[in-house]
Amino acid sequence: MLCRLAWPGRSGAKLVAPLGCLVSRQKHTLPDLPYDYGALEPHINAEIMQLHHSKHHAAYVNNLNVAEEKYKEALAKGDVTAQVSLQPALKFNGGGHINHTIFWTNLSPNGGGEPKGELMEAIKRDFGSFANFKEKLTAVSVGVQGSGWGWLGYNKEQGRLQIAACANQDPLQGTTGLIPLLGIDVWEHAYYLQYKNVRPDYLKAIWNVINWENVSSRYASCKK
């Protein structure tokens, strides 16, 4: 669990470890979408986007705040058993908040096509071609058993791109060490109202709204 604290004499906030949360903690909030709920149609319809954002993501945010408050109380009491018992809720709801916050920016009504510049060169270097990359990420995402995510991440130690799958709401960086660049939500709530149980059709459609500018920006930032 992380929280933001303002330090005297500094203009920004600093992320600190859990014990610091005994001093002060700002509650997490649901981020606004950078587009209207219907902006991604016909690929993802407005009803899905509204429910996904205002109900599902909002629930992760609310439950994360509740879990963090309980964790704060457990820390204050020195109740290690309660701290341990809250870890699954922190991981699930914290991951849900992290993942969806990335996901919304990874999509755009002006998306689709192929990336350009350094990201495209890296994709060609690490996967052979954009077509190979697209096929591999699609296959990994289709293959997620139950609910989860397909990811394109950056391995900072090896200096290369990697594809990974995460179960449930496990956050990519927190569970694999890879820096998230592009996430594809394959929970049924992300597509069922439009694509029923045919996940491959949803995955075929989502490539039409991938925001490569956002993915490229994330790639440039993680290389600094």
Side-chain angles (χ1 to χ4, degrees):
M1 177 179 64
L2 297 173
C3 65
R4 293 188 179 276
L5 294 181
W7 290 86
R10 299 184 185 181
S11 59
K14 182 178 178 64
L15 287 174
V16 298
L19 287 176
C21 296
L22 290 171
V23 181
S24 174
R25 182 180 70 82
Q26 292 181 358
K27 288 190 174 182
H28 303 281
T29 58
L30 180 69
D32 293 331
L33 290 185
Y35 39 76
D36 294 333
Y37 286 134
L40 303 183
E41 291 187 340
H43 310 293
I44 304 177
N45 69 35
E47 184 180 13
I48 286 176
M49 292 299 296
Q50 182 174 10
L51 289 171
H52 198 171
H53 176 257
S54 68
K55 300 298 183 182
H56 291 281
H57 190 173
Y60 296 126
V61 172
N62 293 336
N63 291 332
L64 175 60
N65 284 325
V66 170
E68 285 192 344
E69 191 62 34
K70 291 180 179 179
Y71 192 84
K72 175 183 173 181
E73 294 172 1
L75 281 172
K77 295 176 181 177
D79 188 344
V80 177
T81 299
Q83 293 171 41
V84 172
S85 70
L86 286 164
Q87 294 303 312
L90 290 168
K91 181 181 179 182
F92 181 76
N93 294 294
H97 182 35
I98 291 169
N99 295 340
H100 285 88
T101 300
I102 295 170
F103 183 60
W104 307 132
T105 64
N106 277 168
L107 305 177
S108 169
N110 301 314
E114 299 181 358
K116 300 176 182 178
E118 289 188 3
L119 177 60
M120 183 58 130
E121 292 305 311
I123 287 173
K124 290 179 179 178
R125 178 195 68 210
D126 296 330
F127 302 105
S129 68
F130 178 75
N132 285 342
F133 154 71
K134 184 176 176 180
E135 181 180 350
K136 289 181 179 179
L137 181 53
T138 298
V140 165
S141 301
V142 169
V144 172
Q145 294 184 341
S147 301
W149 293 72
W151 288 98
L152 171 66
Y154 181 67
N155 187 320
K156 198 151 191 172
E157 289 186 0
Q158 298 180 13
R160 68 185 184 91
L161 302 175
Q162 285 184 228
I163 288 172
C166 289
N168 300 312
Q169 293 296 351
D170 290 0
L172 182 69
Q173 190 165 4
T175 55
T176 70
L178 298 176
I179 300 173
L181 304 179
L182 170 62
I184 299 179
D185 188 350
V186 291
W187 280 66
E188 283 195 343
H189 63 234
Y191 61 88
Y192 193 86
L193 289 176
Q194 185 171 358
Y195 295 98
K196 306 308 178 192
N197 63 336
V198 189
R199 185 185 289 178
D201 284 356
Y202 158 69
L203 288 165
K204 181 179 179 180
I206 202 170
W207 289 104
N208 294 303
V209 290
I210 297 298
N211 184 353
W212 290 114
E213 288 187 9
N214 178 263
V215 181
S216 295
S217 177
R218 291 179 182 278
Y219 177 62
S221 294
C222 72
K223 289 183 64 184
K224 294 180 180 177

